[in-house]
Amino acid sequence: MIKPLTSLRFVFAFMVFMSHYILFDKETNPFLHHIFYEGYVGVSFFFVLSGFILAYVYQQSFQENKVSKRFFYVARLARIYPLHILTMLIWVYMRKDHPLNEPYITNFISNIFLVQSFYPTEEIRFNAASWSLSTEMFFYLLFPFLIAWFTTMKHRFLVVFTAISVLVLLLCPILSGSKNEEWFLYSFPPVRLLDFILGILFYNICQTNKVKNLVKSISPTLLELLVIALFLVFYTSAYFIPQVYRHSLWYWIPVGLFISVFYFQAGKISKFLSNDTFVWLGEISFAFYLFHEIVIWYTDRALFLLGIDVDRPIIFMLGVTFTIIVSGFSLKYVEKPANRWVKQRFNKPIASTV
Protein backbone atom coordinates (compact mmCIF):
# COMPACT_ATOMS: atom_id res chain seq x y z
CA MET A 1 0.00 0.00 0.00
CA ILE A 2 1.23 3.49 -0.87
CA LYS A 3 -0.26 5.24 2.15
CA PRO A 4 -0.21 8.89 0.93
CA LEU A 5 -1.97 7.95 -2.32
CA THR A 6 -4.50 5.87 -0.38
CA SER A 7 -5.25 8.84 1.88
CA LEU A 8 -5.54 11.19 -1.09
CA ARG A 9 -8.31 9.01 -2.50
CA PHE A 10 -10.60 10.38 0.19
CA VAL A 11 -9.62 13.97 -0.58
CA PHE A 12 -10.66 13.56 -4.20
CA ALA A 13 -13.78 11.56 -3.33
CA PHE A 14 -14.75 14.46 -1.07
CA MET A 15 -14.21 16.83 -4.01
CA VAL A 16 -16.69 14.78 -6.04
CA PHE A 17 -19.13 15.13 -3.12
CA MET A 18 -18.60 18.90 -3.31
CA SER A 19 -19.46 18.93 -7.01
CA HIS A 20 -22.76 17.16 -6.30
CA TYR A 21 -23.82 19.42 -3.45
CA ILE A 22 -22.76 22.93 -4.37
CA LEU A 23 -23.22 25.43 -1.57
CA PHE A 24 -22.93 28.61 -3.64
CA ASP A 25 -25.21 29.97 -6.30
CA LYS A 26 -23.62 30.49 -9.71
CA GLU A 27 -25.26 33.88 -10.25
CA THR A 28 -24.33 35.43 -6.91
CA ASN A 29 -21.01 33.65 -6.19
CA PRO A 30 -19.65 32.45 -9.54
CA PHE A 31 -16.08 31.74 -8.37
CA LEU A 32 -17.08 29.86 -5.20
CA HIS A 33 -19.62 27.96 -7.29
CA HIS A 34 -16.74 27.02 -9.59
CA ILE A 35 -14.62 25.78 -6.64
CA PHE A 36 -17.36 23.32 -5.68
CA TYR A 37 -18.48 22.41 -9.20
CA GLU A 38 -14.93 21.71 -10.35
CA GLY A 39 -14.69 18.93 -7.77
CA TYR A 40 -15.52 16.48 -10.54
CA VAL A 41 -11.77 16.52 -11.22
CA GLY A 42 -11.77 13.79 -8.58
CA VAL A 43 -12.87 11.37 -11.29
CA SER A 44 -9.84 12.28 -13.42
CA PHE A 45 -7.64 11.67 -10.39
CA PHE A 46 -9.15 8.21 -9.89
CA PHE A 47 -8.77 7.24 -13.56
CA VAL A 48 -5.10 8.30 -13.71
CA LEU A 49 -4.44 6.75 -10.28
CA SER A 50 -6.05 3.50 -11.43
CA GLY A 51 -3.61 3.14 -14.32
CA PHE A 52 -0.70 4.13 -12.08
CA ILE A 53 -1.52 1.69 -9.26
CA LEU A 54 -2.40 -1.25 -11.51
CA ALA A 55 0.94 -0.81 -13.28
CA TYR A 56 2.64 -0.63 -9.87
CA VAL A 57 0.95 -3.83 -8.65
CA TYR A 58 0.67 -5.95 -11.80
CA GLN A 59 2.99 -4.78 -14.56
CA GLN A 60 6.04 -6.79 -13.58
CA SER A 61 3.92 -9.81 -12.63
CA PHE A 62 2.36 -9.86 -16.09
CA GLN A 63 5.76 -9.44 -17.72
CA GLU A 64 7.12 -12.41 -15.78
CA ASN A 65 3.92 -14.50 -16.21
CA LYS A 66 3.46 -14.68 -12.44
CA VAL A 67 -0.20 -13.74 -12.60
CA SER A 68 -2.95 -14.84 -14.96
CA LYS A 69 -5.55 -12.66 -16.65
CA ARG A 70 -8.24 -14.62 -14.83
CA PHE A 71 -6.71 -13.84 -11.44
CA PHE A 72 -6.53 -10.15 -12.38
CA TYR A 73 -10.12 -9.98 -13.64
CA VAL A 74 -11.49 -11.77 -10.57
CA ALA A 75 -9.60 -9.39 -8.30
CA ARG A 76 -11.03 -6.38 -10.12
CA LEU A 77 -14.58 -7.73 -10.07
CA ALA A 78 -14.25 -8.57 -6.37
CA ARG A 79 -13.18 -4.98 -5.76
CA ILE A 80 -16.03 -3.13 -7.43
CA TYR A 81 -18.95 -5.40 -8.28
CA PRO A 82 -20.50 -6.30 -4.87
CA LEU A 83 -20.80 -2.70 -3.72
CA HIS A 84 -21.97 -1.60 -7.16
CA ILE A 85 -24.86 -4.09 -7.07
CA LEU A 86 -25.78 -3.14 -3.50
CA THR A 87 -25.92 0.59 -4.22
CA MET A 88 -27.77 0.00 -7.49
CA LEU A 89 -30.47 -2.01 -5.68
CA ILE A 90 -30.80 0.75 -3.09
CA TRP A 91 -31.44 3.19 -5.92
CA VAL A 92 -34.03 0.82 -7.42
CA TYR A 93 -35.86 0.96 -4.09
CA MET A 94 -35.49 4.73 -3.85
CA ARG A 95 -37.02 5.14 -7.31
CA LYS A 96 -39.58 2.35 -6.91
CA ASP A 97 -42.36 4.57 -8.26
CA HIS A 98 -40.60 5.03 -11.61
CA PRO A 99 -42.58 3.46 -14.50
CA LEU A 100 -41.09 0.24 -15.88
CA ASN A 101 -40.67 1.63 -19.38
CA GLU A 102 -38.15 0.64 -22.01
CA PRO A 103 -35.43 3.18 -21.01
CA TYR A 104 -35.71 2.06 -17.38
CA ILE A 105 -35.27 -1.61 -18.27
CA THR A 106 -32.46 -0.88 -20.74
CA ASN A 107 -30.55 1.17 -18.18
CA PHE A 108 -31.16 -1.42 -15.48
CA ILE A 109 -29.61 -4.15 -17.64
CA SER A 110 -26.71 -1.92 -18.72
CA ASN A 111 -26.02 -1.10 -15.06
CA ILE A 112 -25.91 -4.77 -14.13
CA PHE A 113 -23.33 -5.45 -16.82
CA LEU A 114 -21.52 -2.13 -16.25
CA VAL A 115 -21.81 -0.85 -19.80
CA GLN A 116 -23.94 2.24 -19.08
CA SER A 117 -21.20 4.75 -19.89
CA PHE A 118 -21.02 3.54 -23.49
CA TYR A 119 -24.15 5.41 -24.53
CA PRO A 120 -25.75 8.76 -23.64
CA THR A 121 -29.14 8.90 -21.99
CA GLU A 122 -31.27 11.41 -20.11
CA GLU A 123 -33.27 8.66 -18.43
CA ILE A 124 -32.76 7.27 -14.92
CA ARG A 125 -29.28 5.82 -14.36
CA PHE A 126 -29.93 4.50 -10.83
CA ASN A 127 -26.74 5.22 -8.86
CA ALA A 128 -25.38 7.85 -11.24
CA ALA A 129 -21.87 7.65 -9.75
CA SER A 130 -21.51 4.10 -11.04
CA TRP A 131 -20.96 5.35 -14.60
CA SER A 132 -17.28 5.64 -13.68
CA LEU A 133 -17.24 1.95 -12.69
CA SER A 134 -18.47 1.13 -16.17
CA THR A 135 -15.55 3.10 -17.58
CA GLU A 136 -13.13 1.51 -15.10
CA MET A 137 -14.30 -1.97 -16.09
CA PHE A 138 -13.38 -1.14 -19.68
CA PHE A 139 -9.91 -0.18 -18.45
CA TYR A 140 -9.58 -3.44 -16.53
CA LEU A 141 -10.52 -5.53 -19.54
CA LEU A 142 -7.82 -3.88 -21.62
CA PHE A 143 -5.10 -3.55 -18.98
CA PRO A 144 -3.29 -6.90 -19.54
CA PHE A 145 -3.18 -6.25 -23.28
CA LEU A 146 -2.07 -2.63 -22.85
CA ILE A 147 0.79 -3.73 -20.60
CA ALA A 148 1.86 -6.41 -23.08
CA TRP A 149 1.78 -3.87 -25.92
CA PHE A 150 3.63 -1.25 -23.89
CA THR A 151 6.44 -3.57 -22.86
CA THR A 152 6.98 -5.05 -26.33
CA MET A 153 6.38 -2.02 -28.56
CA LYS A 154 6.90 1.01 -26.32
CA HIS A 155 7.68 3.44 -29.16
CA ARG A 156 4.58 2.51 -31.18
CA PHE A 157 2.48 2.61 -28.01
CA LEU A 158 3.58 6.17 -27.29
CA VAL A 159 2.99 7.27 -30.88
CA VAL A 160 -0.57 5.93 -30.87
CA PHE A 161 -1.30 7.48 -27.46
CA THR A 162 0.00 10.87 -28.63
CA ALA A 163 -1.94 10.72 -31.90
CA ILE A 164 -5.23 9.89 -30.18
CA SER A 165 -4.65 12.59 -27.55
CA VAL A 166 -4.12 15.19 -30.27
CA LEU A 167 -7.26 13.98 -32.04
CA VAL A 168 -9.34 14.40 -28.88
CA LEU A 169 -7.83 17.86 -28.38
CA LEU A 170 -8.85 18.83 -31.92
CA LEU A 171 -12.35 17.43 -31.39
CA CYS A 172 -12.92 19.59 -28.32
CA PRO A 173 -13.84 22.85 -30.12
CA ILE A 174 -15.98 20.89 -32.58
CA LEU A 175 -17.93 19.19 -29.79
CA SER A 176 -18.17 22.31 -27.63
CA GLY A 177 -21.79 23.04 -26.79
CA SER A 178 -23.11 19.93 -28.51
CA LYS A 179 -25.75 17.77 -26.86
CA ASN A 180 -23.38 14.87 -26.19
CA GLU A 181 -20.24 16.87 -25.37
CA GLU A 182 -20.15 15.90 -21.70
CA TRP A 183 -20.92 12.24 -22.36
CA PHE A 184 -18.29 11.83 -25.08
CA LEU A 185 -15.43 13.73 -23.42
CA TYR A 186 -16.22 12.97 -19.77
CA SER A 187 -17.84 9.52 -19.70
CA PHE A 188 -17.19 7.62 -22.94
CA PRO A 189 -14.74 4.82 -21.99
CA PRO A 190 -12.49 4.88 -25.10
CA VAL A 191 -11.87 8.61 -24.58
CA ARG A 192 -11.26 8.30 -20.82
CA LEU A 193 -8.91 5.40 -21.53
CA LEU A 194 -6.35 8.13 -22.21
CA ASP A 195 -6.42 9.10 -18.51
CA PHE A 196 -5.84 5.49 -17.52
CA ILE A 197 -2.96 5.07 -19.98
CA LEU A 198 -1.46 8.31 -18.72
CA GLY A 199 -1.33 6.76 -15.26
CA ILE A 200 0.58 3.76 -16.67
CA LEU A 201 3.02 6.10 -18.40
CA PHE A 202 3.59 8.22 -15.29
CA TYR A 203 4.32 5.08 -13.28
CA ASN A 204 6.93 3.99 -15.79
CA ILE A 205 8.45 7.47 -15.84
CA CYS A 206 8.79 7.23 -12.04
CA GLN A 207 10.81 4.03 -12.48
CA THR A 208 13.50 5.69 -14.59
CA ASN A 209 16.83 6.47 -12.96
CA LYS A 210 16.69 10.11 -14.05
CA VAL A 211 13.45 10.72 -12.18
CA LYS A 212 14.59 8.79 -9.12
CA ASN A 213 17.80 10.81 -9.00
CA LEU A 214 15.87 14.06 -9.49
CA VAL A 215 13.60 13.27 -6.55
CA LYS A 216 16.65 12.49 -4.39
CA SER A 217 18.35 15.75 -5.35
CA ILE A 218 15.40 17.99 -4.42
CA SER A 219 13.76 18.37 -1.04
CA PRO A 220 10.85 15.83 -1.03
CA THR A 221 8.70 18.17 1.05
CA LEU A 222 9.37 21.03 -1.38
CA LEU A 223 8.36 18.79 -4.29
CA GLU A 224 5.12 17.89 -2.55
CA LEU A 225 4.34 21.54 -1.87
CA LEU A 226 5.09 22.41 -5.50
CA VAL A 227 2.74 19.79 -6.96
CA ILE A 228 -0.01 20.85 -4.56
CA ALA A 229 0.51 24.47 -5.63
CA LEU A 230 0.53 23.46 -9.31
CA PHE A 231 -2.70 21.54 -8.92
CA LEU A 232 -4.39 24.46 -7.12
CA VAL A 233 -3.26 26.86 -9.87
CA PHE A 234 -4.82 24.65 -12.53
CA TYR A 235 -7.91 24.07 -10.41
CA THR A 236 -8.64 27.72 -9.69
CA SER A 237 -7.61 29.05 -13.12
CA ALA A 238 -9.92 26.51 -14.75
CA TYR A 239 -12.59 29.15 -14.08
CA PHE A 240 -11.25 30.94 -17.18
CA ILE A 241 -10.85 27.79 -19.34
CA PRO A 242 -13.67 26.59 -21.62
CA GLN A 243 -15.52 23.66 -20.10
CA VAL A 244 -14.88 21.47 -23.14
CA TYR A 245 -11.17 21.22 -22.22
CA ARG A 246 -11.80 20.67 -18.52
CA HIS A 247 -13.57 17.33 -18.78
CA SER A 248 -10.15 15.71 -18.65
CA LEU A 249 -7.30 17.15 -20.74
CA TRP A 250 -6.77 20.27 -18.64
CA TYR A 251 -5.91 18.20 -15.57
CA TRP A 252 -3.61 15.59 -17.10
CA ILE A 253 -0.30 17.22 -16.13
CA PRO A 254 -1.16 18.46 -12.61
CA VAL A 255 -2.90 15.20 -11.64
CA GLY A 256 -0.16 13.02 -13.13
CA LEU A 257 2.60 14.96 -11.36
CA PHE A 258 0.57 15.01 -8.14
CA ILE A 259 0.29 11.22 -8.09
CA SER A 260 3.90 10.72 -9.16
CA VAL A 261 5.41 12.87 -6.41
CA PHE A 262 3.34 11.34 -3.62
CA TYR A 263 4.16 7.88 -4.95
CA PHE A 264 7.68 8.36 -3.56
CA GLN A 265 6.14 9.12 -0.11
CA ALA A 266 9.33 10.86 0.96
CA GLY A 267 8.24 14.29 2.25
CA LYS A 268 6.65 15.55 5.43
CA ILE A 269 3.23 15.87 3.80
CA SER A 270 3.42 12.21 2.82
CA LYS A 271 4.29 11.36 6.41
CA PHE A 272 1.26 13.36 7.57
CA LEU A 273 -0.99 11.58 5.07
CA SER A 274 0.33 8.21 6.25
CA ASN A 275 -1.47 8.63 9.56
CA ASP A 276 -3.77 5.65 10.26
CA THR A 277 -6.90 7.82 10.32
CA PHE A 278 -6.21 9.32 6.90
CA VAL A 279 -5.36 5.90 5.47
CA TRP A 280 -8.66 4.54 6.82
CA LEU A 281 -10.53 7.42 5.18
CA GLY A 282 -8.77 6.50 1.95
CA GLU A 283 -9.84 2.89 2.34
CA ILE A 284 -13.51 3.89 2.68
CA SER A 285 -13.28 6.32 -0.26
CA PHE A 286 -14.76 3.84 -2.76
CA ALA A 287 -17.85 3.38 -0.60
CA PHE A 288 -17.93 7.12 0.13
CA TYR A 289 -18.03 7.76 -3.62
CA LEU A 290 -20.80 5.23 -4.31
CA PHE A 291 -22.94 6.06 -1.27
CA HIS A 292 -22.70 9.85 -1.14
CA GLU A 293 -25.64 10.67 -3.43
CA ILE A 294 -27.79 8.04 -1.71
CA VAL A 295 -27.02 9.56 1.69
CA ILE A 296 -27.72 13.08 0.43
CA TRP A 297 -31.09 11.92 -0.96
CA TYR A 298 -32.12 10.25 2.30
CA THR A 299 -30.87 13.15 4.42
CA ASP A 300 -32.90 15.66 2.40
CA ARG A 301 -35.95 13.40 2.50
CA ALA A 302 -35.74 12.75 6.23
CA LEU A 303 -35.48 16.47 7.01
CA PHE A 304 -38.42 17.19 4.70
CA LEU A 305 -40.63 14.51 6.28
CA LEU A 306 -39.72 15.73 9.77
CA GLY A 307 -40.52 19.30 8.76
CA ILE A 308 -37.03 20.48 9.71
CA ASP A 309 -35.75 23.45 7.75
CA VAL A 310 -31.95 23.80 7.93
CA ASP A 311 -29.40 25.67 5.88
CA ARG A 312 -27.56 23.90 3.06
CA PRO A 313 -24.16 23.99 4.84
CA ILE A 314 -25.66 21.97 7.70
CA ILE A 315 -27.12 19.43 5.28
CA PHE A 316 -23.72 19.32 3.58
CA MET A 317 -21.96 18.51 6.86
CA LEU A 318 -24.62 15.97 7.81
CA GLY A 319 -24.22 14.36 4.40
CA VAL A 320 -20.44 14.08 4.77
CA THR A 321 -20.71 12.72 8.32
CA PHE A 322 -23.40 10.14 7.52
CA THR A 323 -21.61 9.06 4.34
CA ILE A 324 -18.39 8.45 6.29
CA ILE A 325 -20.29 6.37 8.85
CA VAL A 326 -22.10 4.33 6.18
CA SER A 327 -18.85 3.86 4.26
CA GLY A 328 -17.06 2.59 7.36
CA PHE A 329 -19.74 -0.06 7.91
CA SER A 330 -19.65 -0.89 4.20
CA LEU A 331 -15.89 -1.49 4.23
CA LYS A 332 -16.05 -3.81 7.22
CA TYR A 333 -19.30 -5.69 6.60
CA VAL A 334 -19.76 -5.60 2.81
CA GLU A 335 -16.63 -4.87 0.81
CA LYS A 336 -14.03 -6.94 2.67
CA PRO A 337 -16.22 -10.06 3.18
CA ALA A 338 -17.54 -9.91 -0.40
CA ASN A 339 -14.05 -9.36 -1.78
CA ARG A 340 -12.74 -12.45 0.04
CA TRP A 341 -15.72 -14.57 -1.01
CA VAL A 342 -15.46 -13.69 -4.71
CA LYS A 343 -11.72 -14.37 -4.78
CA GLN A 344 -12.06 -17.68 -2.94
CA ARG A 345 -14.99 -18.78 -5.07
CA PHE A 346 -13.60 -17.94 -8.50
CA ASN A 347 -9.86 -18.27 -8.05
CA LYS A 348 -9.86 -21.78 -6.53
CA PRO A 349 -9.22 -23.64 -9.81
CA ILE A 350 -6.06 -21.63 -10.55
CA ALA A 351 -4.78 -20.98 -7.01
CA SER A 352 -1.77 -23.19 -7.57
CA THR A 353 -0.65 -21.30 -10.66
CA VAL A 354 -0.50 -17.76 -9.25
Side-chain angles (χ1 to χ4, degrees), residues 281-294:
L281 286 171
E283 289 177 335
I284 68 167
S285 61
F286 178 55
F288 185 92
Y289 174 75
L290 284 186
F291 272 111
H292 75 277
E293 290 189 278
I294 294 172

Side-chain angles (χ1 to χ4, degrees), residues 112-133:
I112 290 177
F113 291 100
L114 283 175
V115 294
Q116 67 268 37
S117 61
F118 279 89
Y119 65 95
T121 180
E122 296 178 358
E123 295 293 330
I124 184 173
R125 277 198 179 273
F126 306 100
N127 189 4
S130 68
W131 74 264
S132 66
L133 302 188

Side-chain angles (χ1 to χ4, degrees), residues 6 16 20 53 73 75 127 140 145 226 254 312 342:
T6 300
V16 174
H20 290 157
I53 293 298
Y73 291 142
N127 189 4
Y140 299 158
F145 305 99
L226 286 174
R312 285 178 64 83
V342 172

Side-chain angles (χ1 to χ4, degrees), residues 47 50-52 54-55 58-59 62-63 69 72-73 135-154 156-158 160-161 164 189-190 192-201 204:
F47 285 167
S50 182
F52 192 101
L54 289 185
Y58 289 105
Q59 181 170 309
F62 273 122
Q63 290 172 354
K69 292 185 181 69
F72 172 76
Y73 291 142
T135 305
E136 284 275 7
M137 186 58 68
F138 178 69
F139 301 163
Y140 299 158
L141 289 171
L142 292 182
F143 177 74
F145 305 99
L146 289 170
I147 287 299
W149 183 20
F150 177 74
T151 55
T152 56
M153 294 183 287
K154 188 176 295 185
R156 187 175 297 179
F157 185 95
L158 293 172
V160 172
F161 171 76
I164 296 175
R192 296 314 297 264
L193 182 64
L194 296 171
D195 297 56
F196 181 76
I197 292 174
L198 192 71
I200 296 174
L201 295 177
N204 281 274

